[in-house]
Amino acid sequence: MSVPQTPQKALPGAYFQTPAHQSQALSQRGQVAQTGTQRPNAEDVQPIARAAKAVNEALLEESRYPELDNYIGRESRAHFTRVRLTIFLEGISSEYEVSNQSAWAPFQKIKMYTIPDRIFEQYNRAQVSTIMGLFADFNHAWVAIDNALYLWDYTHPNPDLVSFEDASHTITAVRLVAPRPGVFVPSIVRLLVVATTSDIIIVGVSAQTASHGGKTIALYSLKMSASVKGLDVDVVEGSNSTGRIFFSGRGSDDVYEFTYQQEEKWFTNRCAKINHTSKGYSTFTPSLLFGQKTQQEIVVQMVMDDSRKLLYTLSSKSTIRTFFVRSNGALDLVITRPLGQTLSNVGHMTSQTDLISPSISIVSISAITAQEAAKTHLVATTSTGCRLFMSATSSYGYYSSSSNAPTSMQVQHVKFPPAGNSNSQQNQSSQSTQLTQYSNTPPINTSSRALIPTRTAVRYAPGYFLTFIARDPQAETDLLFISGPDSGRIAQPSQDQQRPTKYPELALWLNLGSRAEDVGLAMGEFAASSSPVGFGNELAVQFDQPSSEIAILTNTGVHMLRRRRLVDIFAAVLRLGGGAEGIDGEVKRFIRQYGRDEMTSTALAVACGQAFDVTSDSRLARISDPEVMELARKSFIEQGGKPVYNENSMLDRSTPAIDFVRPSPRHEGLARYISRLLRSVWKVPVIQERVTPTGGFLITSSVSLSKLQDISQDLTKLKEFLNANKSFIEGLAGPEALGSVNTKQEEVSLQGEHRALHALVVLLDRVIEGIAFVLVLYDEKIEETILSLANETRQQVKSLSYEGLCTTDLGKALAKDLVKAIVNRNILSGSNVETIAEALRRRCGSFCSADDVVIFKAQEFVKRGGEAGPDSDVCRDYLNESLRLFKQVAGSLSMEQLHWIVGQYIALQFYAGSIQLCLDKARKSDRGNRALTWIEEGRPQGDKRAESFESRRKCYDLIHQVILSIERSRMESPDIVDGHLTLAGRRRDEAADEIDTSDDEVFQTDLYDWYLQNNRSEQLLEVESPYVITYLERRSSDDIVHADLLWRYYVQNERYQDAAVVQLALAKSKFMLSLDRRIEYLGNAKTNASTTRPGIVRSHRTEVLREVSDLLEVANIQSDLLQRLKSDQRIVADRKPKVVEELDGSILPLSVMFNTYCEPALYFDLCILIYEAADHRVASDIKTTWQNLLERAHVDAEENPQGPEPYEMVAESVRSLGNKLGLSETMFPVAELLPMLKRYAHNFQPNSKPETWVLDVFIDLQVSFETIYVVVENMFYNDEPPFQGRNRRLIGNDIVYIAQLWFEDSIRGRGSPFGGEENAFAVSQMLQMVMQSGLDERRLEQCQSLRMRIENMLR
């Protein structure tokens, strides 16, 4: 249970409801507290969608208007209190509001049309009988004088008489009925049934609209009649759906049917009569009562209910009979309801009253269609003025199906007459029986004699009740009591949900001054919906349908009564004032009766000129009195209520506070008024497709164009009113209104009110433009426009409603498609596009904006350029102008339009323009350049920025098409002819310049992607743009192809240092590259890094070159290791592929190669190379490894007897490794290696030849003679084993050998021996010492000879 809120600050003239009512109203108008945490964030809802929701809610609320069964349902129960016993008698009611103030009258007399003098002239000639009647729906009256029938247009000041004088006997009845479908030509819209004392005749009737607004009719003889002699026919009824004609007469109580067909057949005539009741029904069998006379029972009234296939008859004894029309045409009597049974049924509803007694009679019956009520079928009016609402039932419940017949009929509700209309009658209330209801409503008066005696009565939907009372039979004048449902009060939610809605009526007394002869509806029966729920909602259609008009024919003329709408009543209240409280009191009364929402809606309608009234000259005109409209304006503004902010509904802060604001009744009234203006079009399709009888295709509007224009005018007036008064309307006044708020709650409430009202204003503009767009659409050749659409779009347009057109994105898109279709059709037909485009923009800018107009103008220039020819200067001027316009609105171009433009430009060889426009469109589709940031961040998957790139890529795809078109055109026409650039060549060059000079990095990126996807890498390398390097650098980290292109691009542009860096990175990369490929990259990198160019920083170049050289050295070691392992037979076959895979890829660290492969595999030469590369300078490790290398070489040689000698293997190993090491002093220590080799030769190869092979190895490695000499000399002096004693001569031989070579080498070119005298003297002294060591004979001779030569040169 909700707690009543603190009362709000009083408003001028405000009517405060009780707290209980207020809380209930809150729950019914939004249920804010219950749904606050479930609904979506309203900030995410666009104004159009929010306003559309408000309109739909208003339409839904009005569609729930209670059905008739709800407020006449029969139910009785007792409620005990300490004071009294209160009885709910909901099966009866007598609630009327008969106002003495003309402002509140529910009906008003428009005027009276007099009977023409010529009718009176004919009347004076009558000899037998005269009867009169109305064909109100054709605005004609008729009079039958003897055997002649005269019809006239009673609305015409000087009408022509239409006569039917073919009858030979006195006319007894006349009726206008609908014809059977397919029997007559379409121009015959009605049949005039004329019954005489001898025959019944049907006459064809055609109708046309006259210039004064009425209708003219013509009669056509059909030569169709049947004999009815002896029946004295006076009652005729027709079926509007089937065209069947039923009748009865004063001579019997039988029900007959007049049948007719197009032509005679074998067993049937064109016309005949059938008696449906003479067989098998004892009810109709005359009874013979001896000794007394009884009055013959006859049928006095027939009523046809086509919706249920029921025919009702009322007899002269007040017996109601119900006939069921079966599908085979049979008419079966299914219910007979004598007056006694009817009264007995009513007796259970009320206490004894004279108004319901055996002395009364039923004077008329009226059918209630299934469209109006599901359970109530018939209304019978008694001679005392009571209305009996009756329901036909079957064995399983209320009769609702037209396929099965009902079996019983019950009275569901009795509507008693109002209190008397005179003082004498009002005094009877003190003596009458009154039943008090459990509420504050007036008691039910069950004894009022105000409608006695009721001569006849008639009821029209949705409840207009006309009772004609003949108070003075001698005066031959009728007093008319006319009432109608108070729709405003019925529509209000019931205070007590356990009780059905009451049946209040507004009523009026009129003195006709003459006797009523006939009554008819002048504008067809009312229907607000096609189902009982919402059927009687007159408020909903008061701006959509004309007010009902009722014609009453008397012997003095035709009285026209008009049903006054609520808006008319409110306007009259404002114009005529009120009682003691004045206008302000009347407005409060209106609010109390109908609610503040309805008051604001009605006041707004009056202020917008929707109210009508009868003028002094009996014309119906809009109320335009400035004083009335000003009062209505003030009522809307000042009595519009306040928005309510329900802070208690906020469970958390996740939902904005503004979402808990319930807008004011002023907003509800505005939404309700807009919904009522739009209700006839809101859900209706914009177009209707149909096929003509000749097979043609036809598009028609679901709503008449005049109706659309009227709605547009009403909406425009509303818009003007809101614009003129927005500074006074709370919620539309703008930000300055916030200055008047005192609390945060008031501020939030005002913001919520502004949001709601602003949404409705936006919707108002959109709907006005939407209707204008539809009107323009129908001004064009709409069939051609619709057929030019794609099939899917056409189907969507076919199902598009006005709501969808004005409030949805799909509707807006379809409207643009239609605009394009209109423009394209005008272009093809050669029409001026600017005219239609400007008209569309001016009348419906939302559907054809200023940008659209520019596009259409540009398209026109393209069309003119095509007409001028691609090679003309005029064409180029037109195309340049079109490009300028297109670029202005590039952001508004659709891809379809862009495709068309590019296609036209390509055809006209405007390649550069195509590229410019596509680039401009791409930029404007991604103004935040989100696509570039997405590319720069590596194109992450699932990123929303990818959508921006895709939208731009669609534009770039068109540029690709332009490039392909340029290439095709180059094959057709050369660029240069006779040494001069051709026009086509110049245009192609312009396009190339646009591409190369574009600063759109996203475009350049996409272009380069396209080049590579289409195997155009060479074309990419030819591009001179800084974006190429950026693109390749960005992609090279992920793709080796782009990396290769990058260093190739650098080399092509002579940026060798940058190329070396890329190649170095490739060699070090994680790409799946072989070791040879990496070495190749390093080799090229070393070459590029070694190339010098001006502008290169030397330090950077040196650093790159060093890094490349070091890595190349490591890679070469790894390559040697790989080749060594491939041929190494010691490795198990299963492991070798894995070893190869590990080595034939990324360059491994030296430590891995040394510890994992080289050292375990005894590859000592590679170990030494690793020492060199790693700058490992531990002499002991180096010496040991050399020793191991020599030993390993010797062992390998001995294990291969077929190979070279061991010393040769050793020598080759040293020689090979020495070359690789480059005679490094650290890794190739001659002072250590030479003695090591000498000891090896002495110990393991004493007989090897030549004896000097050790020295030759170093000489071959280009070790200087001086270095070798110093090492050998030191060995000689050191006298170390095994070169001691006699073996010392072996070193002496080497000294002689190397000294000889050194001498020869030094004197070559006339140089000093041994590089100088000091060295020469030292060598000479050494040779002298060596000769004493016991040299071989040959070496001794060489030594002596060499020493002599040295000495000779020293002298």
Side-chain angles (χ1 to χ4, degrees), residues 6 30 79 84 170 229 256 303 327 571 639 676 880 887 913 936 949 991 1037 1057 1275-1276 1282 1317:
T6 303
H79 178 78
R84 60 182 177 178
T170 301
K229 287 182 179 181
Y256 293 86
V303 176
S327 56
Q639 301 289 346
R676 288 172 179 174
N880 285 325
K887 290 175 71 174
E936 291 174 342
F949 176 77
S1037 59
Q1057 190 74 15
M1275 289 178 65
F1276 185 82
E1317 292 184 0

Side-chain angles (χ1 to χ4, degrees), residues 290 343 372 387 397 420 438 544 731 817 1126 1159 1198 1217 1237:
F290 297 96
L343 297 180
E372 183 178 0
R387 277 172 282 167
Y438 179 62
D544 185 48
D817 289 337
K1126 284 182 179 180
E1159 190 175 38
E1198 287 185 338
L1217 189 55
L1237 284 175

Side-chain angles (χ1 to χ4, degrees), residues 982-1272:
T982 62
L983 178 62
R986 185 173 70 250
R987 292 173 179 173
R988 290 190 285 263
D989 288 346
E990 291 172 355
D993 290 340
E994 290 293 337
I995 293 174
D996 293 340
T997 59
S998 171
D999 59 354
D1000 186 346
E1001 186 173 351
V1002 181
F1003 161 65
Q1004 297 289 0
T1005 300
D1006 179 77
L1007 178 65
Y1008 305 151
D1009 283 339
W1010 182 72
Y1011 280 154
L1012 297 182
Q1013 291 168 3
N1014 293 273
N1015 299 320
R1016 295 169 175 257
S1017 58
E1018 296 300 325
Q1019 194 169 349
L1020 172 61
L1021 295 177
E1022 295 174 0
V1023 175
E1024 296 182 1
S1025 170
Y1027 297 115
V1028 176
I1029 295 175
T1030 304
Y1031 166 78
L1032 293 175
E1033 285 178 345
R1034 188 179 294 129
R1035 301 299 298 271
S1036 61
S1037 59
D1038 300 324
D1039 188 5
I1040 192 172
V1041 174
H1042 292 83
D1044 278 333
L1045 288 173
L1046 179 58
W1047 70 259
R1048 290 176 58 193
Y1049 187 83
Y1050 281 139
V1051 170
Q1052 184 166 311
N1053 289 274
E1054 297 183 353
R1055 295 176 59 174
Y1056 302 110
Q1057 190 74 15
D1058 294 327
V1061 172
V1062 175
Q1063 290 166 335
L1064 175 61
L1066 281 173
K1068 297 163 62 176
S1069 68
K1070 299 297 183 180
F1071 292 128
M1072 298 298 294
L1073 297 174
S1074 67
L1075 183 60
D1076 291 340
R1077 184 84 178 274
R1078 295 177 189 274
I1079 292 173
E1080 181 184 354
Y1081 282 132
L1082 290 171
N1084 293 331
K1086 187 174 183 179
T1087 302
N1088 290 323
S1090 302
T1091 305
T1092 60
R1093 281 198 65 203
I1096 297 178
V1097 180
R1098 183 179 181 86
S1099 59
H1100 181 259
R1101 170 178 168 272
T1102 304
E1103 182 181 351
V1104 172
L1105 182 58
R1106 180 189 57 77
E1107 184 179 359
V1108 170
S1109 300
D1110 291 347
L1111 190 59
L1112 180 59
E1113 182 179 1
V1114 175
N1116 286 327
I1117 295 173
Q1118 184 172 331
S1119 178
D1120 292 342
L1121 176 60
L1122 175 61
Q1123 300 304 321
R1124 190 78 58 85
L1125 288 173
K1126 284 182 179 180
S1127 59
D1128 198 329
Q1129 301 300 322
R1130 296 173 298 170
I1131 302 177
V1132 181
D1134 294 340
R1135 174 162 170 72
K1136 183 171 290 188
K1138 184 178 181 181
V1139 172
V1140 172
E1141 181 181 355
E1142 292 174 354
L1143 291 172
D1144 194 12
S1146 299
I1147 300 175
L1148 302 177
L1150 290 172
S1151 59
V1152 173
M1153 287 192 286
F1154 182 85
N1155 296 319
T1156 305
Y1157 300 103
C1158 294
E1159 190 175 38
L1162 306 180
Y1163 299 151
F1164 300 112
D1165 56 338
L1166 298 182
C1167 290
I1168 294 172
L1169 292 175
I1170 291 174
Y1171 291 157
E1172 172 68 16
D1175 198 19
H1176 183 73
R1177 297 177 178 272
V1178 180
S1180 58
D1181 292 342
I1182 297 171
K1183 181 177 180 181
T1184 302
T1185 304
W1186 273 107
Q1187 289 175 346
N1188 292 334
L1189 173 63
L1190 300 182
E1191 292 175 4
R1192 186 64 188 173
H1194 178 78
V1195 171
D1196 291 342
E1198 287 185 338
E1199 290 178 354
N1200 185 15
Q1202 305 299 326
E1205 292 295 329
Y1207 79 89
E1208 294 178 342
M1209 285 289 293
V1210 172
E1212 182 57 33
S1213 297
V1214 175
R1215 187 182 295 110
S1216 174
L1217 189 55
N1219 285 325
K1220 293 179 180 180
L1221 294 172
L1223 300 181
S1224 169
E1225 294 181 0
T1226 305
M1227 298 303 144
F1228 195 80
V1230 178
E1232 296 290 343
L1233 292 179
L1234 197 151
M1236 192 182 301
L1237 284 175
K1238 287 299 291 182
R1239 287 191 292 270
Y1240 165 76
H1242 179 269
N1243 294 333
F1244 297 101
Q1245 300 291 317
N1247 300 318
S1248 57
K1249 301 294 183 180
E1251 297 174 354
T1252 60
W1253 67 269
V1254 174
L1255 300 181
D1256 291 339
V1257 168
F1258 291 96
I1259 294 171
D1260 291 342
L1261 290 172
Q1262 296 183 355
V1263 179
S1264 65
F1265 295 111
E1266 183 177 5
T1267 300
I1268 299 173
Y1269 175 82
V1270 171
V1271 173
V1272 177

Side-chain angles (χ1 to χ4, degrees), residues 697-989:
F697 178 71
L698 186 63
I699 297 289
T700 58
S701 176
S702 303
V703 182
S704 68
L705 299 185
S706 60
K707 176 70 174 177
L708 289 176
Q709 291 171 345
D710 293 340
I711 294 174
S712 179
Q713 291 174 2
D714 292 338
L715 292 174
T716 302
K717 290 179 182 178
L718 174 59
K719 176 183 175 182
E720 293 171 352
F721 173 84
L722 295 175
N723 288 336
N725 295 278
K726 64 181 180 181
S727 59
F728 307 104
I729 298 174
E730 187 176 280
L732 287 181
E736 58 272 13
L738 292 173
S740 62
V741 300
N742 299 319
T743 65
K744 180 65 176 179
Q745 287 78 4
E746 291 181 3
E747 180 181 351
V748 173
S749 299
L750 186 59
Q751 290 173 348
E753 178 81 353
H754 170 74
R755 184 177 68 174
L757 289 176
H758 172 70
L760 290 175
V761 172
V762 173
L763 176 65
L764 198 60
D765 289 334
R766 182 67 63 84
V767 175
I768 292 173
E769 293 185 356
I771 293 176
F773 171 72
V774 173
L775 294 175
V776 172
L777 186 64
Y778 281 100
D779 286 342
E780 295 292 314
K781 296 180 179 179
I782 188 170
E783 288 81 7
E784 295 181 10
T785 302
I786 297 297
L787 289 175
S788 66
L789 299 174
N791 186 54
E792 181 181 358
T793 304
R794 177 179 166 186
Q795 294 302 319
Q796 290 175 332
V797 170
K798 183 179 178 181
S799 60
L800 180 66
S801 65
Y802 283 87
E803 178 190 8
L805 174 66
C806 299
T807 65
T808 65
D809 292 337
L810 175 61
K812 192 171 184 180
L814 292 177
K816 287 190 175 294
D817 289 337
L818 288 168
V819 170
K820 295 172 196 171
I822 292 173
V823 172
N824 291 336
R825 187 183 61 78
N826 280 272
I827 291 175
L828 293 175
S829 62
S831 303
N832 190 336
V833 178
E834 291 188 33
T835 303
I836 182 64
E838 186 60 31
L840 286 167
R841 186 199 63 79
R842 187 175 59 255
R843 296 175 62 180
C844 43
S846 297
F847 302 95
C848 182
S849 62
D851 286 354
D852 294 328
V853 174
V854 174
I855 292 172
F856 299 149
K857 289 180 179 179
Q859 288 177 332
E860 180 73 14
F861 281 122
V862 174
K863 184 189 75 171
R864 294 177 184 176
E867 294 171 351
D871 295 331
S872 65
D873 293 338
V874 175
C875 172
R876 198 57 39 173
D877 292 339
Y878 280 137
L879 294 180
N880 285 325
E881 181 62 20
S882 72
L883 176 62
R884 184 185 66 82
L885 295 175
F886 280 136
K887 290 175 71 174
Q888 288 180 6
V889 295
S892 301
L893 290 174
S894 67
M895 287 308 302
E896 180 183 359
Q897 290 172 325
L898 190 61
H899 272 277
W900 181 85
I901 297 167
V902 171
Q904 295 296 315
Y905 279 177
I906 290 175
L908 298 173
Q909 298 181 4
F910 194 39
Y911 306 121
S914 301
I915 296 170
Q916 286 183 29
L917 182 59
C918 291
L919 291 175
D920 210 42
K921 167 64 177 174
R923 276 192 296 266
K924 291 183 178 179
S925 67
D926 179 27
R927 295 182 183 273
N929 220 5
R930 290 160 51 88
L932 181 58
T933 60
W934 178 70
I935 291 172
E936 291 174 342
E937 294 178 13
R939 310 189 186 196
Q941 295 293 327
D943 196 306
K944 290 185 177 180
R945 292 174 295 179
E947 298 176 1
S948 300
F949 176 77
E950 287 300 318
S951 66
R952 298 182 73 152
R953 189 178 60 81
K954 293 177 182 178
C955 303
Y956 302 147
D957 287 342
L958 294 177
I959 298 179
H960 303 160
Q961 295 181 17
V962 175
I963 294 173
L964 295 175
S965 300
I966 292 173
E967 293 176 351
R968 286 193 295 268
S969 68
R970 183 172 283 115
M971 297 174 62
E972 298 172 357
S973 60
D975 290 342
I976 298 176
V977 175
D978 296 333
H980 298 284
L981 185 65
T982 62
L983 178 62
R986 185 173 70 250
R987 292 173 179 173
R988 290 190 285 263
D989 288 346

Side-chain angles (χ1 to χ4, degrees), residues 89-113:
L89 293 176
E90 296 175 343
I92 64 174
S93 64
S94 65
E95 185 174 349
Y96 299 87
E97 184 172 342
V98 184
S99 177
N100 295 325
Q101 301 177 25
S102 60
W104 288 91
F107 294 88
Q108 65 182 154
K109 184 176 179 180
I110 303 176
K111 68 181 304 181
M112 187 188 78
Y113 299 102

